Amino acid sequence: GAVVSQHPSRVICKSGTSVKIECRSLDFQATTMFWYRQFPKQSLMLMATSNEGSKATYEQGVEKDKFLINHASLTLSTLTVTSAHPEDSSFYICSARTGKVYGYTFGSGTRLTVV
Amino acid sequence: KQEVTQIPAALSVPEGENLVLNCSFTDSAIYNLQWFRQDPGKGLTSLLLIQSSQREQTSGRLNASLDKSSGRSTLYIAASQPGDSATYLCVTSYDKVIFGPGTSLSVIP
């Protein structure tokens, strides 16, 4: 089946640094990738929609200059958290639409801790 | 704007019980509805995908139904096991994927 590989699974970084999270579709082409975050005991919230070859679309309240999304190829989308702060500590997960049936496959997620 | 709700928010049952998780959505214009499970601190595992033209899907001990007209879906788990303990998420998709808040299930041995 369709697989989305997400790395790293866990990352701890110092406040003020930047962190890059990668999502790769392994056996299919993902023209659209979705990025979510989940704070403790809350539901997953859509942050942005990433389309290959064009600018990402951000949800209301998500800072596009802080969360940089790049979708340069049909198999790779990246999310860079710039100048990370402790409040950015969260679980980040990507997903891609797979095939004609519009099901979704998710990456395994990245636990970001900013200290 | 699509809104997805799930009832109950949390559920604790003894092992072996059959149980039903409920999902409601406000906009019937969906391509499909998926049920996922999320284990603590981990990613999502797809359980069942129901296309908008379908009424139900079954996989092992799991059965999911879809009633678009009433905006409801149910996930039925038969003969629950401790390994079923997780958060179950109902997700609708159209141009965006919208998550329900989840039902936290605990199956007590």
Side-chain angles (χ1 to χ4, degrees):
Chain A
V3 176
V4 172
S5 176
Q6 183 171 346
H7 294 280
S9 58
R10 293 179 182 273
V11 58
I12 300 174
C13 70
K14 292 184 177 181
S15 186
T17 62
S18 295
V19 173
K20 179 184 284 188
I21 302 169
E22 291 189 351
C23 273
R24 293 179 183 274
S25 56
L26 297 186
D27 49 5
F28 67 101
Q29 293 182 332
T31 55
T32 303
M33 196 81 81
F34 302 89
W35 288 93
Y36 301 84
R37 63 182 169 186
Q38 183 181 38
F39 293 107
K41 298 185 179 181
Q42 295 186 27
S43 186
L44 285 150
M45 297 298 294
L46 178 65
M47 297 177 64
T49 302
S50 156
N51 295 297
E52 186 267 336
S54 63
K55 291 183 179 180
T57 302
Y58 291 81
E59 295 299 302
Q60 189 173 8
V62 178
E63 301 174 59
K64 61 180 181 181
D65 295 329
K66 181 172 184 62
F67 299 98
L68 301 180
I69 292 175
N70 184 286
H71 195 157
S73 78
L74 288 171
T75 59
L76 175 64
S77 178
T78 62
L79 168 67
T80 301
V81 183
T82 63
S83 187
H85 289 98
E87 56 265 32
D88 297 324
S89 297
S90 185
F91 184 71
Y92 294 85
I93 194 166
C94 62
S95 76
R97 187 178 287 153
T98 52
K100 297 180 180 180
V101 295
Y102 299 112
Y104 290 83
T105 296
F106 287 82
S108 53
T110 298
R111 174 72 60 189
L112 171 64
T113 302
V114 184
V115 298
Chain B
K1 179 183 177 183
Q2 178 75 284
E3 293 183 3
V4 181
T5 56
Q6 289 185 246
I7 295 173
L11 182 63
S12 182
V13 300
E15 181 178 3
E17 270 202 10
N18 302 325
L19 57 99
V20 176
L21 307 181
N22 297 290
C23 171
S24 298
F25 49 95
T26 56
D27 190 344
S28 61
I30 60 173
Y31 287 138
N32 57 54
L33 184 144
Q34 271 180 284
W35 284 91
F36 291 88
R37 67 174 282 171
Q38 184 177 28
D39 294 281
K42 296 187 178 180
L44 303 176
T45 301
S46 180
L47 299 174
L48 289 165
L49 168 66
I50 311 175
Q51 299 297 334
S52 62
S53 58
Q54 298 175 324
R55 297 285 291 182
E56 67 176 341
Q57 284 287 322
T58 298
S59 176
R61 295 182 293 109
L62 306 179
N63 176 276
S65 67
L66 174 64
D67 185 342
K68 275 182 56 178
S69 61
S70 66
R72 295 181 181 179
S73 177
T74 62
L75 178 66
Y76 175 82
I77 302 177
S80 59
Q81 302 171 357
D84 295 331
S85 298
T87 296
Y88 289 79
L89 298 168
C90 167
V91 181
T92 64
S93 68
Y94 190 58
D95 57 341
K96 294 182 179 179
V97 174
I98 306 296
F99 285 84
T103 293
S104 178
L105 173 65
S106 179
V107 181
I108 311 302

